[in-house]
Amino acid sequence: MNVSSAVVRAFGLAKTHGQGQSRVHAVDEVDLEVPQGQTLAVMGPSGCGKSTLLHLLGGLERPTGGEVWVAGRRIDTLSERALARLRRQSVGFIFQAFHLVEELSAADNVELPALLAGRSRRQARRRASLLLERVGLADRARHLPSQLSGGQRQRIAIARALANEPLVVLADEPTGNLDTSATLDVLRIFEDLRAAGQTLVVVTHDERVAATADRLIAMRDGMFVDDTRLAGSHPRGLGGLIGLEG
Ligand SMILES: Nc1ncnc2c1ncn2[C@@H]1O[C@H](COP(=O)(O)OP(=O)(O)OP(=O)(O)O)[C@@H](O)[C@H]1O
Ligand SMILES: [Mg+2]
């Protein structure tokens, strides 16, 4: 693995909650390198620390031990303000429960992160419309989230996660609330992301989602218990979801 090309790195990464008897090692001194362009799936039983790991890697939570580096920069020691900027500029998050802004249209939800990352109104609009097209929802641009199905909402949330052209996308159970047909839509998009070289870490209970990744880490009790290459088991899609200009 080429360390210098790692987008995300963690050393001795740890997060403990609580004190004394009720102390929980949610993440227990893990080391990780995610090279540019790698798609990594993380699986493991409920409570083993997957969400905590993602939050630490994306700067949503701070570790109680170790270091996190994103794009060659140590992030766990940044100020809140610098951390927020890092998230806006470089990270895309996808959640199980979508977390769309209910008052904003699909297109405005997707535009927002591009604006926050410093794009002009025009660039943000253009990028949003390209992304909506790529997730197959150009015809839903003016709909509110409440007017969309769960699967459509998640595709909007994926488009939103890509709006700032993130160095890394972090997805937590992205298909956890979806039926099979909506899950297949998301799988196709993830295949495209992999083909397009998007660095991605996805936490999932769904083996079909894990199978779209290049690499699979199994987690248990805050630790990595297995780390497997999933070499090219899936044909590459046409790609093009990312790297869109403007
Ligand atoms: N704020 C908190 N305070 C105390 N303990 C916490 C807190 N957040 C998480 N934990 C504990 O840390 C451990 C890891 O939680 P985490 O949410 O990362 O698990 P997970 O693998 O994502 O589980 P799931 O698959 O159910 O989403 C759990 O034992 C949980 O109870
Ligand atoms: Mg979780």
Side-chain angles (χ1 to χ4, degrees):
M1 187 184 299
N2 181 353
V3 171
S4 63
S5 72
V7 172
V8 177
R9 301 161 78 188
F11 303 103
L13 186 63
K15 179 75 175 183
T16 55
H17 293 291
Q19 307 279 337
Q21 292 282 21
S22 62
R23 195 164 151 95
V24 176
H25 296 279
V27 172
D28 199 359
E29 298 190 13
V30 303
D31 298 314
L32 177 65
E33 275 166 17
V34 185
Q36 166 86 51
Q38 184 172 77
T39 54
L40 165 66
V42 179
M43 297 187 87
S46 180
C48 75
K50 305 179 298 296
S51 295
T52 306
L53 175 71
L54 270 197
H55 295 168
L56 295 171
L57 297 180
L60 284 176
E61 283 186 64
R62 284 185 196 269
T64 46
E67 302 176 8
V68 183
W69 295 68
V70 174
R73 189 163 169 224
R74 186 167 174 187
I75 69 158
D76 55 282
T77 50
L78 292 177
S79 67
E80 279 307 318
R81 197 189 165 91
L83 202 53
R85 190 178 323 123
L86 179 279
R87 288 194 302 261
R88 284 200 302 269
Q89 300 281 358
S90 306
V91 185
F93 290 98
I94 301 167
F95 302 97
Q96 177 172 353
F98 324 133
H99 295 318
L100 295 171
V101 181
E102 293 297 322
E103 296 75 24
L104 295 182
S105 70
D108 288 344
N109 265 283
V110 179
E111 269 182 53
L112 191 58
L115 292 170
L116 291 173
R119 307 294 190 283
S120 70
R121 185 101 227 167
R122 193 157 155 260
Q123 287 174 320
R125 196 164 297 163
R126 193 173 127 69
R127 175 128 185 107
S129 83
L130 286 168
L131 286 167
L132 286 177
E133 207 159 292
R134 297 306 162 104
V135 299
L137 290 171
D139 59 342
R140 294 291 189 278
R142 305 297 2 140
H143 285 58
L144 293 171
S146 60
Q147 298 167 323
L148 298 170
S149 71
Q152 290 170 337
R153 284 186 219 196
Q154 192 60 301
R155 279 143 71 197
I156 297 294
I158 294 171
R160 176 185 60 180
L162 297 168
N164 62 348
E165 299 175 82
L167 286 169
V168 61
V169 171
L170 303 175
D172 195 353
E173 289 288 354
T175 61
N177 284 355
L178 305 182
D179 65 17
T180 295
S181 132
T183 295
L184 293 178
D185 289 337
V186 169
L187 290 181
R188 272 192 288 275
I189 295 171
F190 277 24
E191 292 277 7
D192 273 352
L193 288 175
R194 177 166 95 154
Q198 173 69 58
T199 311
L200 169 77
V201 182
V202 58
V203 161
T204 186
H205 286 291
D206 189 330
E207 283 172 12
R208 293 167 301 179
V209 176
T212 66
D214 299 315
R215 175 184 176 192
L216 172 60
I217 286 180
M219 238 182 130
R220 201 169 289 267
D221 297 331
M223 290 180 275
F224 296 164
V225 292
D226 195 31
D227 191 342
T228 315
R229 291 252 144 205
L230 306 173
S233 53
H234 279 250
R236 299 300 164 116
L238 291 174
L241 244 182
I242 56 161
L244 301 166
E245 293 305 315

